[in-house]
């Protein structure tokens, strides 16, 4: 079940829905394509955030797929990435 996420001090123009689903993401690094799996946190039409086990640099182009929502990968750009614990990061992306 999806819950609506809203805070009084929310700066986003669009509300995001909280959800927890597998996210497959891929990016080009050192002459190869790296692929990994994360877990979504929230989503709206302009972007999403998810948990990853890799530090992803701001500005990095990603292909992301949430197979329960989309039939194809979506192009996106990393907007921010912050460490949550010793081996996990929360990543914010915007769709292109």
């Amino acid at each position: 079940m999806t819950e609506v996420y809203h805070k009084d001090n929310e700066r986003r123009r669009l509300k995001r829905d909280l959800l927890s689903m597998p996210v497959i993401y891929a990016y080009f690094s050192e002459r190869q394509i790296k692929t990994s799996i994360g877990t979504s946190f929230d989503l709206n039409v302009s972007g999403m955030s998810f948990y990853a086990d890799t530090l992803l640099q701001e500005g990095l182009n990603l292909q992301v797929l949430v197979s329960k929502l989309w039939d194809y990968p979506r192009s996106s750009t990393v907007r921010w990435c912050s460490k949550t614990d010793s081996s996990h990061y929360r990543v914010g992306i915007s769709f292109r």
Side-chain angles (χ1 to χ4, degrees):
M1 182 170 169
T2 304
E3 299 177 35
V4 176
Y5 168 37
H6 180 70
K7 291 183 178 178
D8 291 335
N9 62 351
E10 182 63 57
R11 293 180 299 169
R12 294 185 184 107
R13 287 176 278 143
L14 302 169
K15 290 182 185 176
R16 290 194 174 201
D17 292 327
L18 291 176
L19 65 140
S20 179
M21 295 182 185
V23 175
I24 300 169
Y25 60 96
Y27 58 97
F28 190 74
S29 175
E30 300 176 16
R31 300 183 197 161
Q32 65 181 355
I33 295 175
K34 293 197 175 192
T35 303
S36 193
I37 298 174
T39 304
S40 65
F41 179 77
D42 62 21
L43 169 78
N44 72 15
V45 296
S46 67
M48 70 182 297
S49 67
F50 63 94
Y51 294 104
D53 59 3
T54 306
L55 174 64
L56 300 173
Q57 297 298 317
E58 185 177 325
L60 180 67
N61 293 322
L62 292 179
Q63 293 291 315
V64 295
L65 176 64
V66 179
S67 62
K68 291 182 179 185
L69 300 177
W70 313 311
D71 294 331
Y72 55 89
R74 303 215 30 202
S75 296
S76 64
T77 303
V78 174
R79 296 297 174 201
W80 52 268
C81 184
S82 59
K83 195 168 199 167
T84 60
D85 60 38
S86 63
S87 62
H88 293 95
Y89 300 86
R90 186 160 164 209
V91 183
I93 61 171
S94 62
F95 300 129
R96 291 188 272 147

